[in-house]
Amino acid sequence: MSTPYPFTAVVGQTDLRLALLLNAVSPAVGGVLVRGEKGTAKSTAVRALSALLPQVDVVSGCRFSCAPATPDPACPDGPHEPGPGGVRPARMVELPVGASEDRLVGALDIERALAEGVKAFEPGLLADAHRGILYVDEVNLLHDHLIDLLLDAAAMGASYVEREGVSVRHAARFLLVGTMNPEEGELRPQLLDRFGLTVEVAASREPAQRVEVVRRRLAYEDDPAGFATRWAGDEHEVRARVVAARALLPKVSLGDTALLQIAATCAGFEVDGMRADIVMARTATALAAWAGRTDVRKEDVRQAALLALPHRRRRNPFDAPGLDEDMLDRILDEFPDEDPEPEPEPEPEGPDDSGPEGDGPDGGPGGTPPQGDGSQDPGAPAETPETPETPETGEAPAEAPEAPQPSAQEAAGPEQAAVRAAEPFRTKMLSVPGLGEGASGRRSRARTAHGRTTGAQRPHGHLTKLHLAATIQAAAPHQKARGRAGRGLVIRKDDLRQATREGREGNLVLFVVDASGSMAARQRMSAVKGAVLSLLLDAYQRRDKVGLITFRGATAELALPPTSSVDAAAARLEQLPTGGRTPLAAGLLKAHEVLRIERLRDPSRRPLLVVVTDGRATSAGNVGGRTDSSPRELAGHSARLLQAGGVASVVVDCESGPVRLGLAGVLAQDLGGPAVTLDGLRADSLAGLVKNVRTAVASTASPHSSSNCNRRVA
C-alpha cells in the first residue's frame, strides 16, 4: 500500500483543512463538499484525513463494522454475542463515479434466493464506509440513481437492498465528503443540501507559497516514506488534538445568544428549511471544542456561517455560491456576546506553524479557527475574489478570451459591446424522438436501469433486475420434466429473465447562436440571450450536456465545448459580443463537426441542435474556400447535411418587425425540424412544439423500428 501524503504537509487551503478537521471532531456536522479548480489538493487533503481519525472498535468478524457496545440488532452477520471486539483504523472508502448500484449497496444473489431460499448477500461500499468516510471524487458527475441511493442512506442511516420481496438491511452511517470542479456541472439541490459544509478552493497566487507546494510535492514523490516520517510529529499532534476536541465536545455549551445569532443569520440569508440552523449549531460547537473552549462565541458562529451557508442560499444554478460578509457582520452585531467569564484559554500553536523545514509558509490548521476574513492568507479559498481571471463569474474584461478575434473578420463591421440577457422564463420540454440508451436524465425516452418495466429478456451477464412473472412463466412448462415434488418451483439459471425498463435520458443540447450585426441592429440580442438562458436552465434541470457555438463576421467559434457545466455556458453567453456579417453556413458546419466528434466520444448520448437566428446568411464564411454558391445556398446545403445525419433540430426564429422574410422557416425545413418564435418559446405558448419535433424527425425514419430511429437521430 502506498504511503499517503500527510495532512499537515498540505500548503495553505486553511478553510479546507479546517472543514475536514471539524468533521473529524464532530461527524454529526454532516460532511464536506469541496469545490474548486483542478490541481488544488482537494483529493490529497481528503485522502490524508483518514490518518487523523481515531481508531474504531468493531465486532470481530462482522462485515458491517458493528460496535461491540451497541451492535446493530438487524445486522445481516448478527446477532452478535457480547464481547470486547477488536480495533481497526477508520476507513475512507472511495465511490467511483462509474460504480454500479450493486457495487454501492451490495449484491443479493437472486438465483440462490429463488432456488434455495438463502439470503446470500455481498456487502457494498456503503457497508464498508459505515462509521468511516465515504469519499466521492467528481461527485457532480455521479449518476442520478446512485445519488438517490446516497440520499436514502444519508437520511435513514441505513441501506436497504430489496429484490422481488427479498430484502436485506444494514446500518450505514458515514461521513460524506465530495470534491468537484464546478466547470463540469453542478450538483442536484437535494444532494447539495446533504453536505454539512462547503469550501471553495483555489490555487494560491503567491509565488512563495506555490514554490513551497512544488518543493513538498517533489520531496514526497522522491521518497514517500521518508517524507511522511518527517511530518509524523505534526500528524501525531493534530491526531491528539482531534481526540481531545472529541472528548471536550459534550461539555461545550451552546447558549441562547449563540442560538439567536444562528437563527437570525439563517433567516437573514433566507436559506430554505431548518437543516442550515442545525448544521451551523453543530459546526459552531465543534469550532469551540477545536479551540479548546467550552462556550460558543460570535466568531464561532461567524465561521460556521461561512462554511455552512454558501451552498444553501443559491436560488438558481447561475448564482455563484458565497455570502455577503458585511451583511453577516451586521446580523451578528445585533446580538452581541455576553461578557464571558475570564478563563485560561489554551491556544496551542498549530502543529505545522513551521514544518520540519522550520520556515514553510504554511500556517497549518492549529491555533484559533480562522475568522473568515482570509485577507491575511493568500491561499484561503473562501475569499477568492470574482476577478476577471475567472470566466465563470461573467465579469469578463473588455477583451474576453472567448470573443472572436477581429483579425478573422475581414468583412465584419465594428464589434458592439455585449448586452445583458433578459429575464429567463420557463420553457416547455424539447426532446429527441425515438428510444435512446444514453446516460440517465430527464429529457428523452430511453432504456434505463430505472423506470417503468416494459418487458423482459434473458440477462446478459449478472442478473440485476429480475422480472418475476416472466421467470415463472419460463420455468412453469418444465416442472414435470424436472421432477417437481413439493410446492416450490424448480428454477434453473436459464429460466431467469431480466426486466427491461424505460425512463428518461440526458441529451447533448448544442446551441448555435447568431451574433451578427443583424441581431444587434434591432436590439434583439438581449431577448435572444434571455431565451438561450431559459433553455440552459431547462438543460440544467434535465441533466443534459450543453455546448455553445457562435457565428459572426466571417467565422464560427466553439465558445464552449460540450460540457455538463451549465454555469460555464451561461457565463460565455453573457460575454458574447455582436456585430459583423452573418456566416450561417459556417455556424452549421461547425455544429456538424462538433457533433461528429462527440458521437465518437459518447455514442450513446443523442444530440438536440438548437439554432438561434433570424435565418439571414450574408457571408459565405470559411467553408472550405467554396465560391461557386451564394451564402444562402451554402447555408441550405449545410443544414441538409445535418438532417441527413439524423440530428434532431429546432430553429428559434429571432426575426421581428413589420416586414419578415421567413428565412428561419426555410432553414427549419432544410434541417428537418420545427421553427418557433421567441415569444412562442415560452411554456404557455409552446403547446405543439414537442409534437412537431417528433413528427418532423420521425417522418424520415421507420415508425416501427426504434433501432432505425436511434441510428438516424443519434
Side-chain angles (χ1 to χ4, degrees):
M1 181 178 178
S2 61
T3 303
Y5 192 89
F7 184 86
T8 52
V10 175
V11 179
Q13 308 299 13
T14 307
D15 284 354
L16 168 59
R17 291 181 298 155
L18 177 64
L20 292 171
L21 288 170
L22 291 178
N23 276 274
V25 171
S26 175
V29 167
V32 186
L33 175 64
V34 187
R35 298 165 44 94
E37 58 197 26
K38 51 187 176 291
T40 50
K42 301 187 299 293
S43 300
T44 299
V46 173
R47 292 189 175 102
L49 176 66
S50 59
L52 303 180
L53 298 179
Q55 291 188 324
V56 179
D57 296 328
V58 296
V59 173
S60 299
C62 179
R63 298 175 297 168
F64 302 88
S65 302
C66 284
T70 57
D72 182 7
C75 176
D77 285 355
H80 299 298
E81 297 295 332
V87 177
R88 64 161 175 79
R91 291 175 181 163
M92 191 196 71
V93 178
E94 293 196 39
L95 172 60
V97 171
S100 66
E101 179 181 337
D102 286 346
R103 185 70 186 97
L104 178 61
V105 301
L108 190 64
D109 194 332
I110 299 296
E111 299 172 28
R112 293 189 61 191
L114 287 176
E116 305 174 24
V118 176
K119 289 185 180 180
F121 181 70
E122 184 66 27
L125 296 178
L126 290 180
D128 294 340
H130 180 46
R131 304 175 67 199
I133 301 173
L134 182 62
Y135 171 49
V136 189
D137 193 13
E138 306 295 348
V139 63
N140 51 325
L141 303 182
L142 200 63
H143 292 299
D144 278 356
H145 68 282
L146 297 182
I147 290 178
D148 294 337
L149 295 171
L150 277 181
L151 290 173
D152 290 342
M156 297 183 294
S159 174
Y160 291 85
V161 181
E162 298 190 9
R163 298 284 168 79
E164 305 298 338
V166 181
S167 64
V168 173
R169 173 212 170 274
H170 65 82
R173 293 183 294 275
F174 48 83
L175 179 64
L176 183 61
V177 180
T179 55
M180 60 174 284
N181 184 348
E183 293 181 355
E184 297 173 342
E186 285 294 341
L187 276 178
R188 281 173 50 182
Q190 295 92 335
L191 183 58
L192 189 64
D193 190 52
R194 283 293 173 185
F195 286 97
L197 310 179
T198 186
V199 176
E200 294 280 335
V201 298
S204 171
R205 299 295 183 258
E206 286 292 324
Q209 206 169 63
R210 297 175 74 96
V211 166
E212 187 64 19
V213 170
V214 175
R215 181 182 292 121
R216 294 186 187 183
R217 188 67 198 185
L218 293 179
Y220 168 74
E221 292 176 354
D222 290 341
D223 183 12
F227 184 82
T229 301
R230 291 197 297 274
W231 288 89
D234 291 345
E235 293 281 290
H236 176 74
E237 290 184 26
V238 175
R239 190 180 300 110
R241 188 173 176 185
V242 169
V243 173
R246 278 194 173 189
L248 183 62
L249 187 65
K251 304 176 184 178
V252 176
S253 173
L254 185 65
D256 291 341
T257 300
L259 285 172
L260 281 173
Q261 291 170 343
I262 291 170
T265 301
C266 293
F269 283 103
E270 299 180 351
V271 296
D272 296 329
M274 295 298 298
R275 183 174 284 121
D277 303 63
I278 297 172
V279 171
M280 273 191 65
R282 290 171 174 166
T283 305
T285 303
L287 280 163
W290 177 248
R293 289 185 272 103
T294 58
D295 63 309
V296 175
R297 301 179 181 176
K298 183 171 74 173
E299 57 263 30
D300 300 325
V301 175
R302 187 182 194 278
Q303 182 64 43
L306 293 174
L307 294 173
L309 296 188
H311 62 301
R312 290 187 164 89
R313 63 177 302 270
R314 299 185 66 175
R315 290 305 180 213
N316 65 66
F318 308 136
D319 290 340
L323 288 183
D324 183 343
E325 295 193 35
D326 292 336
M327 178 180 174
L328 175 60
D329 290 333
R330 288 194 300 270
I331 294 173
L332 294 178
D333 288 342
E334 296 178 2
F335 302 92
D337 284 339
E338 299 175 358
D339 294 334
E341 296 181 3
E343 62 175 90
E345 294 185 13
E347 298 285 353
E349 293 297 325
D352 59 339
D353 281 349
S354 60
E357 295 82 356
D359 57 352
D362 183 13
T368 56
Q371 302 304 310
D373 187 10
S375 59
Q376 303 297 324
D377 184 2
E383 269 46 60
T384 303
E386 294 187 346
T387 67
E389 299 174 353
T390 306
E392 286 77 11
T393 61
E395 300 292 330
E399 297 180 3
E402 291 76 24
Q405 297 298 323
S407 59
Q409 302 178 32
E410 298 85 356
E415 180 179 301
Q416 303 179 29
V419 298
R420 296 188 63 85
E423 191 70 21
F425 50 85
R426 185 172 64 88
T427 67
K428 281 196 173 179
M429 182 178 66
L430 308 177
S431 64
V432 178
L435 191 63
E437 296 181 352
S440 177
R442 300 178 182 176
R443 184 172 296 278
S444 303
R445 294 173 55 232
R447 297 186 184 94
T448 60
H450 300 269
R452 63 185 181 90
T453 301
T454 58
Q457 63 182 11
R458 292 182 180 272
H460 301 287
H462 182 67
L463 177 69
T464 56
K465 300 291 184 182
L466 178 73
H467 195 295
L468 184 58
T471 298
I472 294 175
Q473 185 177 5
H478 309 289
Q479 295 305 297
K480 184 176 181 180
R482 294 173 183 175
R484 173 187 171 189
R487 298 179 60 185
L489 290 175
V490 180
I491 303 291
R492 294 182 179 176
K493 189 172 183 178
D494 291 342
D495 301 327
L496 298 177
R497 295 294 183 267
Q498 175 87 21
T500 58
R501 304 193 175 191
E502 181 179 314
R504 293 281 175 178
E505 67 177 358
N507 296 112
L508 167 59
V509 183
L510 182 61
F511 295 93
V512 180
V513 180
D514 185 348
S516 64
S518 65
M519 301 288 288
R522 296 176 177 84
Q523 301 299 317
R524 286 176 288 169
M525 205 58 200
S526 177
V528 168
K529 286 186 176 183
V532 178
L533 198 65
S534 304
L535 291 169
L536 283 172
L537 182 59
D538 180 70
Y540 165 78
Q541 295 169 341
R542 302 191 187 281
R543 314 297 291 173
D544 294 317
K545 290 180 68 175
V546 296
L548 178 63
I549 293 174
T550 64
F551 58 94
R552 58 184 292 269
T555 60
E557 178 188 11
L558 180 59
L560 181 71
T563 175
S564 297
S565 177
V566 178
D567 291 27
R572 301 298 195 278
L573 181 70
E574 192 70 22
Q575 300 165 10
L576 180 65
T578 58
R581 305 184 72 180
T582 311
L584 178 58
L588 297 175
L589 288 177
K590 188 70 173 180
H592 181 270
E593 178 66 14
V594 170
L595 294 178
R596 183 187 66 82
I597 295 174
E598 285 302 309
R599 187 176 291 120
L600 296 175
R601 291 176 177 172
D602 190 359
S604 63
R605 189 180 289 269
R606 300 185 295 164
L608 175 64
L609 184 67
V610 180
V611 184
V612 185
T613 181
D614 56 9
R616 287 179 170 83
T618 60
S619 171
N622 184 10
V623 292
R626 291 189 57 174
T627 58
D628 57 340
S629 301
S630 67
R632 178 61 248 169
E633 291 173 336
L634 289 174
H637 174 75
S638 303
R640 289 187 291 274
L641 183 65
L642 285 163
Q643 182 188 16
V647 177
S649 304
V650 176
V651 177
V652 179
D653 185 359
C654 302
E655 190 174 31
S656 61
V659 179
R660 304 193 182 191
L661 302 178
L663 297 177
V666 176
L667 175 63
Q669 292 178 5
D670 291 335
L671 286 169
V676 58
T677 64
L678 286 176
D679 292 336
L681 193 61
R682 297 179 180 273
D684 53 0
S685 304
L686 200 59
L689 183 56
V690 175
K691 180 179 178 181
N692 291 340
V693 174
R694 292 177 174 172
T695 302
V697 181
S699 63
T700 63
S702 171
H704 304 293
S705 174
S706 62
S707 61
N708 183 51
C709 187
N710 287 335
R711 176 177 57 82
R712 295 185 60 84
V713 176

